[in-house]
Amino acid sequence: MERVWDFFENINELAYASDMDSYEIVYMNRKTLETYGISHIDELRGRKCYEVFYGNGFPCAMCSNEELPEGEFVEKKYFNPALNKHFLIMATMAKENGRHLRFELAIDISKNENARKTLGRHKDLEACVNEGIKRAACELNPDRSIDIILEFLGKGLNGERSYIFEKNSSGGDDNTYEWVAAGITPEKDNLQNVPPEVCANWYRCFNENQNIMFDDIEKMRYDDPLQYENLKSQNIHSIVVVPLYDDNHLIGFYGIDNPPKQEVEDALNMLQIVGYFISSTLKRRNMMNQLRELSLHDQLTTLGNRHALEEYISSIESDTSIGIVYCDITGLKRMNDTMGHKMGDELICRASESLKCAFGEYGLFRIGGDELLAICAGIDGDTLQNRIELLRKKSVENSVNLAIGSALEEKFENNLQKIMSKAEKLMYQEKNEYYRTIGIDGRR
């Protein structure tokens, strides 16, 4: 057999042999000795194959000695935990001096196996993300769609937090959506209007078509100290972030915190794939919000309309005090008839501005051509009267004459019509007194 051993001595794969009855090692080639840190075969006298190769104290449960054919190789794949490698094992039985020997050639295939696992992992991630997009796309509510896809991304990428930041009108960044894993502290409320300088370096990268990917944020400590401190305070140690666009306009970014180090590249790939879906969903949300605003507001004055009035009323608790101020723009018809509707529209706008100045923090509505309404939940009598006096002052300054009626109830009790009727009656009394004083028939 020595000639056979000589053939395998200098190959770059592991070759070894053991006695099939006693399990004692009888041969190891140079590569095997080096791999196991053994300087000479003599060190192995009396040592068992299962002890040396696998660190076991007894024969391997997978041992196939009984099945090995003589002179014919049998192949199988095996992961060796002692070496942390995958091998293709080629085994056969040979006879020497009356002994039955198990001879094996072990070929390291770890790279192929790891590549296969990586590919499998990538396919699993793609399947997970596709399922998330499918479910999110079925939601009519864009906010719900985004919540769903962030959850799928966070769980699929083994992250602790996934989120969206959107650039606000002041130049800062708002954390608008967030998913967090179980046991992780939410950060959304703490990350509103983040100063522009914190994310400035990221936006520079985005403008240069670069993404943010760190398997260890210590690597950004000196190059981006402000962002480093921001992330460190949130217990972030790895991060992947990609930009979000609306028609080529950079509107923010989204990302995932603390994915495993070995998965940051997968995370980057998945975030890039899903980025377009999230951007389009944000665009859909904005369009729906605009349509909703249009459906709830008077286009001329931006005050709420009757739909907005119903929605506002539904939010008031029955035991809350409520004050109603009912206004009529006197002289509007005369203005329209004599000077044109454009001048009439300007009069309406000046009246609505007067109402906004006096009651801006309350519910303001235009419920007719010349009728404006302020509904003040939680107001007291003194405050209501002071605001009415301010309204009269502002209307004079804006060259508007308003007939005003008001009513106050300590408890709303879902009785809007009753309270409105009181205010409306007083408004008409004031309106009629105005026309009587100036000597004009109100009907004209």
Side-chain angles (χ1 to χ4, degrees), residues 283-329:
K283 189 172 184 177
R284 180 163 63 94
R285 176 207 63 185
N286 293 341
M287 291 178 63
M288 291 181 68
N289 287 343
Q290 290 172 5
L291 289 172
R292 185 174 184 278
E293 287 297 307
L294 290 173
S295 71
L296 293 175
H297 290 86
D298 172 60
Q299 298 306 295
L300 178 63
T301 63
T302 72
L303 299 179
N305 58 21
R306 287 186 178 274
H307 297 297
L309 173 60
E310 292 174 6
E311 190 171 289
Y312 184 82
I313 289 298
S314 67
S315 67
I316 301 176
E317 300 290 338
S318 63
D319 60 350
T320 302
S321 65
I322 185 169
I324 290 183
V325 180
Y326 207 124
C327 306
D328 180 274
I329 308 170

Side-chain angles (χ1 to χ4, degrees), residues 37-97:
I38 300 168
S39 57
H40 196 275
I41 189 68
D42 289 344
E43 297 179 24
L44 296 171
R45 293 193 184 279
R47 299 284 301 279
K48 311 293 186 182
C49 59
Y50 51 79
E51 295 175 357
V52 175
F53 294 138
Y54 307 116
N56 293 337
F58 42 83
C60 302
M62 58 135 198
C63 184
S64 58
N65 280 350
E66 300 296 329
E67 304 167 8
L68 283 182
E70 183 177 359
E72 185 178 334
F73 281 93
V74 175
E75 295 183 6
K76 70 174 179 178
K77 292 180 181 179
Y78 178 69
F79 175 72
N80 187 321
L83 299 178
N84 195 31
K85 289 184 176 182
H86 295 269
F87 290 96
L88 173 64
I89 305 294
M90 303 175 65
T92 188
M93 182 185 73
K95 292 181 180 178
E96 181 189 44
N97 301 325

Side-chain angles (χ1 to χ4, degrees), residues 8 10 20 29 34 45-46 65 76 81 85 101 123 154 168 176 186 190 231 261 301 339-340 356 372 410:
F8 290 105
N10 293 310
M20 296 176 68
N29 72 346
E34 290 175 358
R45 293 193 184 279
N65 280 350
K76 70 174 179 178
K85 289 184 176 182
L101 302 180
K123 287 182 177 179
N168 61 32
T176 51
N190 304 323
L231 301 180
K261 281 189 174 184
T301 63
M339 303 187 69
K356 289 175 186 177
L372 308 179
E410 291 186 1

Side-chain angles (χ1 to χ4, degrees), residues 23 61 133 187 233 256 275 282 289 292 322 398 402 441:
Y23 298 103
I133 291 176
E187 295 286 351
S233 68
I256 185 165
L282 290 174
N289 287 343
R292 185 174 184 278
I322 185 169
N398 290 327
L402 291 177
D441 185 348

